Amino acid sequence: VYNTNEEKIVKDSHTKEIDLINRDPKQINEDVVKVEFEDVIAEPDGTHSLDGVWRLSYTTFTVSKYWCYRVLSAVFGIPVALLWGFLFACISFCHIWAVVPCIKSCLIESQCVSRIYSLCIQTFCDPFFEALGKIFSSVRVALRKEV
């Protein structure tokens, strides 16, 4: 879309640029899947393996976690993204075409029932309780403490 003052590029949500550096900008997985070697394996004082074994264990854990995630995301990332896209499309469809209209219908019906209920209370209960109030308005209660 071109404007006379300046050139503006309008992109819809399907073609927007994605950030390849910060892939979790809303930090939804910040404390869930951030697992390091030290979070999983630890040797208490007095029970240490050989230094070479410890270094090799660290390297094996780190590299295998890295490459396993890369291979799994390469093989299953697109099919799982397709499934999640389908699921959220179905949820959106149900919400837009079923849930919101149903809630709106219930609100309309409850407003109707509320008006009828209010009318009944004003017609029958209000006069009754006003009459009771007038009857008992002359009653005086005295509280005495006897020793």
Side-chain angles (χ1 to χ4, degrees):
V1 175
Y2 293 99
N3 194 341
T4 56
N5 297 336
E6 63 185 64
E7 182 179 317
K8 291 184 180 179
I9 300 173
V10 178
K11 295 182 178 182
D12 66 10
S13 64
H14 305 296
T15 60
K16 72 177 183 177
E17 297 279 332
I18 62 168
D19 187 358
L20 294 176
I21 303 300
N22 183 10
R23 296 188 185 190
D24 190 9
K26 296 183 181 179
Q27 299 174 339
I28 61 173
N29 291 315
E30 187 63 28
D31 55 342
V32 178
V33 292
K34 207 175 198 180
V35 178
E36 299 297 329
F37 179 77
E38 296 84 9
D39 298 327
V40 178
I41 299 172
E43 292 182 331
D45 288 336
T47 311
H48 286 192
S49 61
L50 300 171
D51 291 345
V53 171
W54 187 250
R55 274 192 226 99
L56 188 59
S57 297
Y58 174 81
T59 304
T60 303
F61 177 88
T62 305
V63 171
S64 64
K65 184 181 93 163
Y66 174 81
W67 281 106
C68 183
Y69 178 79
R70 304 270 311 219
V71 169
L72 286 172
S73 62
V75 172
F76 297 110
I78 293 173
V80 171
L82 180 69
L83 290 174
W84 282 117
F86 180 74
L87 175 71
F88 282 105
C90 290
I91 290 171
S92 297
F93 177 83
C94 289
H95 189 79
I96 291 167
W97 292 99
V99 174
V100 171
C102 184
I103 291 172
K104 190 60 114 172
S105 173
C106 289
L107 287 174
I108 291 170
E109 293 300 322
S110 67
Q111 286 175 351
C112 179
V113 171
S114 171
R115 287 182 183 155
I116 293 171
Y117 177 76
S118 177
L119 183 63
C120 289
I121 294 295
Q122 290 173 357
T123 304
F124 300 111
C125 294
D126 283 356
F128 175 73
F129 287 112
E130 282 182 31
L132 283 179
K134 288 181 180 177
I135 290 172
F136 292 114
S137 65
S138 61
V139 173
R140 302 283 182 237
V141 176
L143 184 62
R144 295 183 197 169
K145 186 176 182 182
E146 295 182 22
V147 180

